Amino acid sequence: AVVSTQSTGIITMKVTSLACSVFDGLARKPEDLSNDQSKLAVRSVPGVVEYFSYTFCFTSILSGPTFNFNDYQAFISGSDLIKADGQKRSMFGGLVPCLIKFSTAVFFISLTFLLPYNFEPFFDDEWRNSQPWWYVTSYLYLVSFLTRCNYYFAWILADSVSNLSGFGFNGVDENGREQWNKITNVYPCRTECSSSLKLLIDNWNVGTASWLRRIRLDKTVTGITTQRSRHG
């Protein structure tokens, strides 16, 4: 049931994102679009194969992350790997990032087995009142962290699979190193060390946050309300 609900959510985000992109590309004037909308606009209606290939992409159908149609088409055609001089980068450039992310995913899921946890003691008044406040607070943080580890595992593993298939290249940095984070959905260290709500939102469930912005829910409260409604 959880897998089914998650997959339905991923499909919902992809379909609505594609619908907005097609609308921007066919029904609106170019001068009325923002830079982001112009970049994501789809100028022609996708074919049946293109639509279902994008919607049911095997690397993200179970746990995400979601991504836009143009990025997916660039991956399929290989145009995202073309250098400025016209030469094509090797799609196996994502192998090392894939292995690093896979190892990271295994690390996080291993923590949930090595450190068994549950929330039940926290709701026991007798237990909570018998412990120092710092112990209760530390216990709650640890349990919350271990719960997040399950999400870290699923999202980072999906990201690694996408990189292995050649999807996720995001250009090079100022030092010329390849970046394979185009569809990265979470940054664990930044999430755990966030000093504000904005930083937390920017680094946790990145794909969903981007989707909310793309469908013009750029108000934080409205976006969060919609996300909660989508999850039931």
Side-chain angles (χ1 to χ4, degrees):
V2 173
V3 173
S4 175
T5 302
Q6 182 68 17
S7 298
T8 301
I10 297 299
I11 293 173
T12 299
M13 288 190 284
K14 286 185 176 181
V15 171
T16 52
S17 177
L18 177 57
C20 288
S21 296
V22 171
F23 177 78
D24 289 339
L26 298 180
R28 302 182 66 192
K29 297 179 180 179
E31 57 269 21
D32 294 334
L33 302 177
S34 66
N35 291 335
D36 188 54
Q37 291 170 341
S38 181
K39 177 183 177 182
L40 300 178
V42 177
R43 308 298 177 181
S44 61
V45 178
V48 175
V49 175
E50 292 176 316
Y51 172 77
F52 283 109
S53 174
Y54 165 69
T55 305
F56 295 98
C57 177
F58 76 96
T59 64
S60 65
I61 188 61
L62 294 180
S63 61
T66 185
F67 40 81
N68 66 72
F69 183 78
N70 286 347
D71 283 341
Y72 180 72
Q73 285 297 92
F75 156 62
I76 293 297
S77 65
S79 60
D80 61 332
L81 296 176
I82 296 178
K83 301 179 182 179
D85 59 5
Q87 298 295 318
K88 188 175 182 180
R89 301 176 187 275
S90 171
M91 65 176 294
F92 296 106
L95 180 59
V96 173
C98 166
L99 294 176
I100 294 175
K101 292 174 182 178
F102 177 78
S103 301
T104 304
V106 171
F107 167 74
F108 280 118
I109 198 62
S110 297
L111 290 179
T112 65
F113 288 101
L114 295 175
L115 302 171
Y117 65 96
N118 64 76
F119 278 100
E120 293 182 7
F122 184 76
F123 297 102
D124 184 345
D125 291 339
E126 182 177 349
W127 176 87
R128 193 170 60 249
N129 294 330
S130 65
Q131 302 294 335
W133 67 267
W134 59 265
Y135 182 85
V136 175
T137 302
S138 300
Y139 181 85
L140 178 60
Y141 178 81
L142 176 61
V143 172
S144 300
F145 167 72
L146 292 174
T147 301
R148 290 192 295 275
C149 283
N150 293 285
Y151 292 88
Y152 294 152
F153 165 73
W155 288 335
I156 295 174
L157 182 63
D159 192 11
S160 71
V161 172
S162 296
N163 290 169
L164 184 61
S165 70
F167 189 22
F169 179 69
N170 198 27
V172 297
D173 61 15
E174 60 276 6
N175 297 317
R177 292 177 297 189
E178 295 184 351
Q179 302 293 296
W180 287 82
N181 60 350
K182 176 168 286 186
I183 59 174
T184 295
N185 203 39
V186 68
Y187 297 91
C189 291
R190 299 179 190 175
T191 298
E192 297 301 325
C193 299
S194 296
S195 58
S196 67
L197 179 60
K198 180 184 182 304
L199 291 177
L200 179 61
I201 294 175
D202 288 344
N203 294 288
W204 170 266
N205 206 356
V206 178
T208 299
S210 298
W211 169 72
L212 290 170
R213 287 194 295 269
R214 287 170 191 156
I215 61 174
R216 300 177 181 80
L217 293 176
D218 53 0
K219 300 296 184 182
T220 303
V221 175
T222 305
I224 293 176
T225 300
T226 301
Q227 183 178 0
R228 295 297 177 265
S229 300
R230 184 176 67 85
H231 284 287

